[in-house]
């Protein structure tokens, strides 16, 4: 049974590490099940992050079978299994965030690279912009809108942490010209983006309309990096309620190349702030 709040990043990293160890040992899941006298479905659940609690004895048995003798690595795997049960702040907003898999990753990332095609990334949104966007998404109940805005603002607290991630955002000008919530809301939002560049809290860069077609026209995405060796880079494609996660090296490489291509088309932070100021003036009527 899948954990109620979905697998945390520690769940997924531990499962992936155990799978890699098995493959390095030249074993398949049936070999493991027979050697440990387990049901094969148990091995599959472990490697698919479909577990609630992974016993220390089971981890040690797997490590012994896979020939892992490094005490430090074994201890790290055991620690990860224990920490995986810990719930983050987003659990309080489970009713509006769903399983919370993405925000779990976001809260633990060391660096985040965003591309926003038609909307400004949630981590950079003002309350008024977020509220208007949520209403546009079909939500009308005031209490639910309030909860969703609160959840989005709670996410942004990581930007103020001393150990917060390095954030780079590339945003298509189309997202800046779209009047979400009206001119006043958009002016406030654009000034908010300028402030990120001025304070160095995040790096915001625009791809101007003059750049024409580019690799990001197919949609928005985020690339998340992590410090821990067991937590490799993840790409998140924001196309549904929970989105899609990609972890294979080829997929990661493709999106990193796409982000680099977008970066080559984007204005510098200084040029971006000048461009944003002109759009703000346009919204004021010149």
């Amino acid at each position: 049974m899948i954990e109620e709040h979905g697998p945390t990043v520690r769940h997924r990293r531990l499962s992936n590490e155990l799978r890699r160890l098995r493959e390095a040992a030249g074993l398949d899941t049936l070999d493991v099940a027979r050697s440990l006298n387990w049901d094969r479905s148990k091995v599959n659940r472990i490697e698919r992050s479909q577990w609630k609690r992974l016993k220390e004895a089971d981890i040690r048995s797997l490590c012994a079978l896979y020939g892992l003798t490094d005490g430090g690595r074994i201890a790290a795997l055991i620690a990860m299994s224990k920490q995986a049960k810990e719930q983050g702040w987003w659990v309080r907003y489970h009713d509006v965030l769903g399983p919370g898999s993405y925000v779990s990753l976001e809260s633990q990332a060391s660096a985040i690279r965003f591309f926003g095609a038609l909307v400004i990334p949630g981590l950079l949104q003002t309350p008024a912009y977020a509220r208007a966007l949520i209403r546009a998404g079909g939500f009308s109940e005031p209490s639910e809108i309030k909860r969703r805005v609160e959840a989005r603002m709670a996410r942004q607290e990581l930007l103020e942490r001393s150990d917060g991630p390095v954030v780079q955002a590339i945003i298509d000008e189309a997202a800046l010209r779209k009047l979400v919530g009206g001119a006043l809301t958009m002016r406030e939002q654009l000034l908010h983006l300028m402030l990120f560049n001025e304070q160095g809290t995040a790096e915001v860069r625009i791809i101007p309309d003059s750049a024409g077609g580019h690799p990001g026209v197919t949609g928005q995405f985020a690339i998340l990096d992590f410090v821990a060796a067991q937590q490799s880079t993840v790409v998140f494609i924001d196309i549904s309620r929970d989105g899609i996660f990609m972890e294979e090296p080829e997929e990661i490489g493709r999106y990193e190349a796409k982000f680099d291509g977008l970066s080559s088309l984007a204005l510098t932070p200084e040029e971006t702030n000048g461009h944003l100021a002109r759009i703000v003036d346009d919204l004021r009527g010149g």
Side-chain angles (χ1 to χ4, degrees), residues 22-23 25-34 40 43 47 65-66:
R22 173 182 59 75
E23 292 173 347
L27 302 172
D28 61 26
T29 55
L30 183 57
D31 294 328
V32 175
R34 287 174 173 169
R40 190 177 188 180
V43 184
E47 294 193 0
L65 180 62
Y66 300 154

Side-chain angles (χ1 to χ4, degrees), residues 170-187:
I170 297 177
I171 306 173
D172 193 287
E173 186 170 345
L176 310 176
R177 297 285 184 181
K178 191 173 292 296
L179 288 180
V180 176
L184 181 60
T185 293
M186 287 306 300
R187 288 202 304 270

Side-chain angles (χ1 to χ4, degrees), residues 7-286:
T8 66
V9 64
R10 296 182 183 94
H11 273 85
R12 298 166 68 242
R13 292 301 138 211
L14 176 56
S15 294
N16 288 345
E17 183 65 14
L18 291 173
R19 175 178 54 80
R20 282 193 288 268
L21 288 170
R22 173 182 59 75
E23 292 173 347
L27 302 172
D28 61 26
T29 55
L30 183 57
D31 294 328
V32 175
R34 287 174 173 169
S35 297
L36 298 178
N37 197 28
W38 291 355
D39 190 285
R40 190 177 188 180
S41 63
K42 175 176 178 176
V43 184
N44 290 332
R45 286 197 304 273
I46 290 174
E47 294 193 0
R48 292 172 184 166
S49 301
Q50 296 175 332
W51 49 273
K52 279 190 174 183
R53 296 175 181 82
L54 193 50
K55 296 178 181 178
E56 179 177 336
D58 287 346
I59 295 175
R60 292 190 180 279
S61 295
L62 290 169
C63 289
L65 180 62
Y66 300 154
L68 180 63
T69 58
D70 184 329
R73 288 188 67 191
I74 295 172
L77 294 174
I78 292 170
M80 201 183 303
S81 72
K82 293 177 179 178
Q83 293 167 359
K85 293 180 287 185
E86 298 175 3
Q87 297 178 340
W89 65 264
W90 54 88
V91 173
R92 300 197 307 271
Y93 296 99
H94 176 68
D95 55 328
V96 295
L97 287 176
S101 296
Y102 173 74
V103 290
S104 170
L105 286 168
E106 184 180 72
S107 71
Q108 299 177 61
S110 60
I112 308 174
R113 288 167 282 176
F114 290 109
F115 170 67
L118 293 176
V119 297
I120 292 162
L123 209 58
L124 308 180
Q125 293 175 6
T126 63
Y129 181 93
R131 189 176 300 108
L133 204 59
I134 290 165
R135 283 177 178 147
F139 298 97
S140 57
E141 178 60 39
S143 60
E144 182 170 15
I145 293 172
K146 181 181 178 182
R147 288 279 293 167
R148 289 179 177 273
V149 173
E150 286 177 352
R152 198 158 300 183
M153 295 306 105
R155 284 173 56 194
Q156 297 181 9
E157 292 177 6
L158 68 86
L159 295 175
E160 303 301 326
R161 288 183 353 210
S162 59
D163 63 342
V166 175
V167 175
Q168 297 174 287
I170 297 177
I171 306 173
D172 193 287
E173 186 170 345
L176 310 176
R177 297 285 184 181
K178 191 173 292 296
L179 288 180
V180 176
L184 181 60
T185 293
M186 287 306 300
R187 288 202 304 270
E188 179 189 36
Q189 176 64 72
L190 300 185
L191 291 169
H192 188 61
L193 294 179
M194 293 171 66
L195 197 58
F196 282 117
N197 279 334
E198 291 171 2
Q199 295 180 337
T201 316
E203 181 184 89
V204 179
R205 300 173 63 198
I206 294 171
I207 294 183
D209 286 341
S210 59
H214 56 71
V217 294
T218 54
Q220 56 200 42
F221 61 90
I223 305 172
L224 301 96
D225 298 310
F226 303 88
V227 173
Q230 295 89 353
Q231 300 178 9
S232 57
T233 298
V234 173
V235 169
F236 177 71
I237 313 297
D238 189 7
I239 61 173
S240 64
R241 183 168 182 257
D242 296 320
I244 295 174
F245 293 97
M246 296 183 176
E247 299 183 88
E248 294 301 321
E250 296 80 7
E251 296 169 334
I252 301 301
R254 186 165 64 251
Y255 275 90
E256 289 185 324
K258 180 181 285 192
F259 190 87
D260 289 344
L262 293 168
S263 183
S264 69
L265 297 172
L267 302 177
T268 66
E270 295 75 17
E271 293 169 337
T272 289
N273 274 16
H275 201 74
L276 286 168
R278 288 189 288 274
I279 299 175
V280 169
D281 286 341
D282 291 343
L283 289 170
R284 286 179 177 141

